[in-house]
Amino acid sequence: ITGVEAGRRLSASPATRGLPLIAATGYSHGRQLDEARAVGFDTMILKPCDPAMLLRAIERLIAPQTAGASVPTDGQSRATCW
């Protein structure tokens, strides 16, 4: 299955719908970004990416879960599209 379909299934399942989702893609076209966002991905990493940037994106997504806050979406990281 595609990554978008995997995200769709994870977002639809009661057991996994709360998991943060990161899409890793080589595409940066508006249509793909819109589709990933609509499916439920929390952020998108453009490949190839620096492993440290991926780690920061993961930390940003899981930190609010441990603190009980909402996920920030600053859109400023060069590793992510949003």
Side-chain angles (χ1 to χ4, degrees):
I1 64 173
T2 67
V4 169
E5 180 59 25
R8 186 175 285 118
R9 291 180 188 186
L10 289 167
S11 294
S13 171
T16 55
R17 78 170 43 123
L19 294 175
L21 299 177
I22 298 174
T25 184
Y27 301 107
S28 62
H29 302 293
R31 190 180 91 245
Q32 284 88 2
L33 300 176
D34 292 343
E35 183 178 26
R37 190 176 291 134
V39 165
F41 284 94
D42 297 290
T43 195
M44 182 177 282
I45 303 293
L46 296 178
K47 298 186 291 187
C49 74
D50 175 43
M53 294 174 109
L54 175 58
L55 182 59
R56 283 193 299 273
I58 292 168
E59 289 171 340
R60 189 180 75 238
L61 288 172
I62 65 173
Q65 290 182 359
T66 59
S70 62
V71 175
T73 53
D74 60 14
Q76 300 301 310
S77 172
R78 293 180 299 153
T80 62
C81 295
W82 74 81

